[in-house]
Structure formats: C-alpha cells, structure tokens
Amino acid sequence: MKLFGTDGVRGRAGKTLTVQMALNLAMAAGIYFRKHSRTNKILVGKDTRRSGYMIENALVAGLTAVGYDVVQIGPMPTPAIAFLTEDMRCDGGIVISASHNPYDDNGIKFFDAFGNKLSAAAEEEIERIYGDDDLLSANQKTGKEVGASKRIDDVIGRYIVSIKNSFPKELTLHGVRIVIDTANGAAYKVAPTIFAELGADLIVLHDKPNGLNINEGCGALHPADLQHAVRTYRADIGFAFDGDADRLVVVDEEGEVVEGDHLLAALALYLKDQGTLKGGKIAATVMSNGAMEHFLNNNGIALVRTDVGDKYILEALQKEGLNFGGEQSGHIIFTDYAKTGDGLVAALQTAALVLKSGKKASVALRLFAPDPQLQQALPVRQKIPLTEIPGFQERLNALEAEGIRHLIRYSGTENKLRLLLEGTNEGVLAKRLDEMANFLTQAING
C-alpha cells in the first residue's frame, strides 16, 4: 500500500485515513526521526477540521509509544509548523491538514528538524517502517522510556514576529484598505493579527471555524465573497488563504482575481528590481503559462520548470541556489522568509510590491497577456497508467502538431485526472479539451 502522495498522506478521515493508520504512521515516523534525534521532541499542529482532534490524539499516542515527547500547538498554518519546528529545536514537525480539500478529508505532513518537507527517500523509509509490524512492536517503550506530551498555546507570537519581519521596515499598511478571507481555517487568528498590527484598514471574512466549514464556499478556492467585499468596501486589495494558509489568491481593487502566473511574474520582477532575486532565475511548474516564461526572459529572468507540487519547487530552489518560486495555484515560496509556501508571506510581499510601485493592484500585478489555457479535472475510479491506454500517445502527438502544449496527469491527492491545454486559439483548445476528456473518461472509467 502506498501511503504518501505529492503532499504527505491524505484521505477521507475515518475511512481512508483511519485512527489506526495515524497511530502506526506516527510510530513509524518516530522510529525514523529517532535516527537523527537531537532533542527527542516532535511538534504537532493542525488546521481547524473536526477530525483533527481524532488524528492528533492518534499521532500523540503513536509518538509517545516509541518514546518521543510531543509538543502540541493547536490550529496553526502549515508554514508556521515548518518555522516553529526549527525555531523550537524539535527533531521533526507534523501538520494535520488536507489543505484546500473539504472538511471531511484530512492529511498528515512531515517536516525535518530544519523545517523542510521530507524527501521522497525519507517518505519511502517511513513507509517501509510502517509496513513492518515486528519493527513497530519492538520499538514500543515501557516505564520511564514512554514519551510525554504537553500543549503550548502561546507560540503564535513567534510566528507573527517572523512574518512581520518579512515586510519592509520602511513601509506601513496604514491607510491601505485590505480584505482578507481566512477560509475558516488555520490562519483565522494569525492573519488578522498580522495585518492589523501593520496598520491596515482591515475587513476580515470567514474567520469563524466550527470544524465543518473550512474551505466551504470561501477562501482561496472560492474567492467570490472576497471579490464582492473588495468591491463593496472599495478596498485596495484582497487576500484569500486556503485551509492551512500555504496558498494565496489575490483580488485587485476592481474585484478581479489575479491569475497565479501574473502574480509570480510581478513578484519575480519586483525582487529583481529590489536586487534581491538570487541567481537571476525563479522556479515554477510545468503548468505555468508559456507567456509568463517569455515575459520573464524578456526581463532577464530565467525560468526553471518543475513537476507539479510545491515540494518540487522547493527542491529546485535548493538545487539552483534560488530564493523565489511558486505554483500557478497560489503556493508561493520565498526562501528568505519561509521553508515552504506561505500565504501570509506572499500576501505581505504582494502588498509591498503594490505600495512601492505607486500603482493600483490591477496595473502593478498584470504585466503580460497570457496565452489561452484551459483546464479540466476528471473524476476517475482507478489510476490506470496513461502510457498503457491505446491511442493516448497518438492523441498527444496530434496536439503537438497543432502547436498545443499539454499536461495530463493524475492528482497526487485526489482520485482525479487533471488536463491542461495551452495554445493560441481558445476555440480550438476548447474543442480539443472536450475530445481528450471524452476519450480518457471512456478509456479509464469505461
């Protein structure tokens, strides 16, 4: 059984992601982290899903069973867990979250002692230990060797100070009207505090989590309420976060969503102009628009493309010695300030960009015309290897012959097949996307 997807372990809480799975996974992770232990502490945080209580208790039981002491910090953004794991000198960090998924899903993600997401090799090792019942049993402790757990409620201040320090000291948000949507998620306390302390004239949406309303019709995946509020309150800009606040969607002063590639390009040029862009390159995934790459190249910035997933962005940044990259979907990484995608850091950098430009957000954040790009997600019952589907490669060849760029892949977190086509004629793209969707639906689902 393969546990890890593109972003940790994820599934329907209580069905796919069960208490027993979480317990054994925690034991396996504890055994793995023990090999590099310095402090015998593991940090555990979560978002606002009701199932987080269930999974958290299972993780604490598993970790303490193999002798680890656990620090529980409650609901906090995923990037906060990464930061605090290193800041509090823990051997590892665990966040319980399914990010942008509905409330009845949940997930478990791991960070090493330096706040980095685990490598594929590390995940494979944890998975190997997970499947070895004898090893799990042999590592259960007794007596004084059993671990302890304690809950700390005041670490939020450390993260807030860290995030505020990413905002230029010479700037203030005083007089800037900002609407934020915390998606009834992990940023519901942190985000309003940060923006208010920096002086913003602040309107906050969806900051009343009840365990069941995370991401529900709000946040980064559903920005309609944010768009309406920006128009209604005549705000200068709006920011929406997802359930664990590692993703950002920006709405300009006209109430229009700023496409992810527009945001990446604007931020890349901003860093270059500030003299802080390392290596003259940024990293983005294969999903980013070709027009963005042309814009960056024309401005002396090279683009390193990666597979889909923010962990691949981070790997590219580390390998190339770069400090900025992100995904079209809103995972944006500034390695000078965070170890993973951080929606709050990205929001403050975007605000700084707009302030320093002296322009409205609608102008400052849209610097090129994107090529037409269409996407679709197909529900699938099983993930048949695409290369085994008769006629699939021939259809790809036909798309390429028409000058259409394509990306067709299975989701790493859901039972879906994701299709992306990019070209110069939107009408042709729509027709080809429909043809490919019908072909693959029949081939995979019958």
Side-chain angles (χ1 to χ4, degrees):
M1 175 184 179
K2 181 169 175 55
L3 291 177
F4 288 90
T6 56
D7 197 18
V9 178
R10 193 175 294 186
R12 183 82 177 273
K15 185 174 182 180
T16 307
L17 180 52
T18 64
V19 167
Q20 189 63 53
M21 176 190 285
L23 176 69
N24 288 355
L25 185 59
M27 293 176 66
I31 294 168
Y32 169 80
F33 283 123
R34 181 61 54 102
K35 298 177 183 179
H36 314 283
S37 178
R38 298 180 300 169
T39 63
N40 199 52
K41 292 191 302 182
I42 298 283
L43 187 74
V44 176
K46 59 184 179 179
D47 64 21
T48 57
R49 294 163 210 270
R50 179 178 291 181
S51 60
Y53 296 104
M54 172 180 77
I55 296 170
E56 182 180 27
N57 287 328
L59 291 177
V60 171
L63 290 167
T64 55
V66 296
Y68 255 110
D69 294 332
V70 182
V71 179
Q72 298 168 257
I73 61 171
M76 287 284 281
T78 287
I81 308 304
F83 166 74
L84 291 167
T85 295
E86 180 180 38
D87 190 63
M88 297 177 68
R89 304 300 189 270
C90 295
D91 289 341
I94 304 176
V95 58
I96 305 162
S97 174
S99 188
H100 59 278
N101 284 24
Y103 84 92
D104 51 353
D105 283 349
N106 218 324
I108 301 171
K109 293 182 277 193
F110 297 93
F111 296 101
D112 66 18
F114 302 101
N116 298 311
K117 287 188 176 182
L118 296 188
S119 66
E123 290 178 342
E124 288 172 5
E125 176 64 9
I126 291 175
E127 200 160 313
R128 184 193 67 76
I129 298 170
Y130 174 90
D132 190 334
D133 290 339
D134 291 338
L135 184 60
L136 295 180
S137 179
N139 277 273
Q140 290 194 42
K141 305 301 182 182
T142 60
K144 293 182 179 180
E145 291 186 330
V146 174
S149 175
K150 64 178 178 179
R151 185 174 295 277
I152 301 178
D153 296 320
D154 60 356
V155 295
I156 187 172
R158 298 192 192 196
Y159 179 61
I160 288 172
V161 169
S162 169
I163 296 300
K164 286 171 62 180
N165 284 339
S166 72
F167 192 66
K169 296 292 190 296
E170 70 274 16
L171 296 179
T172 176
L173 294 178
H174 180 73
V176 182
R177 180 165 293 181
I178 298 175
V179 183
I180 62 172
D181 182 343
T182 68
N184 293 313
Y188 79 102
K189 287 183 179 179
V190 174
T193 302
I194 290 171
F195 283 95
E197 289 187 3
L198 288 172
D201 177 4
L202 190 64
I203 296 99
V204 183
L205 308 178
H206 302 295
D207 61 337
K208 304 289 189 299
N210 62 15
L212 308 178
N213 60 0
I214 186 171
N215 299 317
E216 185 179 24
C218 59
L221 263 69
H222 308 283
D225 285 357
L226 178 63
Q227 293 176 272
H228 177 72
V230 167
R231 296 187 189 106
T232 299
Y233 293 104
R234 298 181 181 179
D236 297 295
I237 199 166
F239 298 119
F241 309 101
D242 66 342
D244 66 338
D246 65 351
R247 181 182 298 201
L248 171 71
V249 165
V250 178
V251 170
D252 66 24
E253 82 286 351
E254 296 178 351
E256 298 298 325
V257 172
V258 178
E259 295 294 332
D261 285 336
H262 276 137
L263 187 59
L264 287 173
L267 287 167
L269 188 59
Y270 166 71
L271 293 179
K272 181 174 182 285
D273 290 343
Q274 298 298 307
T276 58
L277 184 68
K278 293 180 181 177
K281 303 177 184 177
I282 74 165
T285 75
V286 290
M287 295 186 70
S288 277
N289 199 281
M292 182 186 83
E293 186 168 7
H294 295 316
F295 170 81
L296 292 173
N297 292 342
N298 290 338
N299 283 276
I301 302 171
L303 176 63
V304 178
R305 286 194 182 264
T306 75
D307 288 337
V308 177
D310 62 330
K311 72 177 181 180
Y312 299 113
I313 297 289
L314 187 57
E315 286 174 5
L317 297 180
Q318 293 170 339
K319 180 180 178 181
E320 299 272 346
L322 310 178
N323 65 340
F324 177 69
E327 291 191 280
Q328 192 183 51
S329 60
H331 290 118
I332 300 175
I333 304 175
F334 293 86
T335 59
D336 291 341
Y337 307 118
K339 294 297 184 73
T340 185
D342 191 320
L344 289 164
V345 167
L348 291 183
Q349 291 300 306
T350 301
L353 181 167
V354 173
L355 284 171
K356 288 194 173 186
S357 74
K359 301 174 182 176
K360 293 183 180 295
S362 59
V363 177
L365 300 177
R366 290 190 181 87
L367 303 178
F368 66 92
D371 292 333
Q373 190 181 83
L374 299 180
Q375 299 184 45
Q376 187 172 345
L378 302 177
V380 295
R381 290 193 293 268
Q382 55 185 330
K383 296 182 178 181
I384 300 172
L386 297 176
T387 54
E388 296 181 5
I389 297 176
F392 177 65
Q393 187 58 51
E394 287 76 10
R395 287 178 176 266
L396 295 185
N397 294 340
L399 291 175
E400 292 168 6
E402 291 187 86
I404 296 175
R405 193 171 75 88
H406 55 78
L407 178 64
I408 301 174
R409 64 180 184 89
Y410 288 111
S411 168
T413 58
E414 301 174 272
N415 286 330
K416 291 181 178 179
L417 178 68
R418 302 194 184 279
L419 287 70
L420 179 151
L421 299 184
E422 179 182 297
T424 57
N425 188 310
E426 190 165 350
V428 172
L429 286 181
K431 183 177 180 181
R432 297 294 178 259
L433 183 64
D434 188 55
E435 291 171 352
M436 183 63 81
N438 290 336
F439 168 74
L440 289 171
T441 297
Q442 181 62 35
I444 297 172
N445 294 332

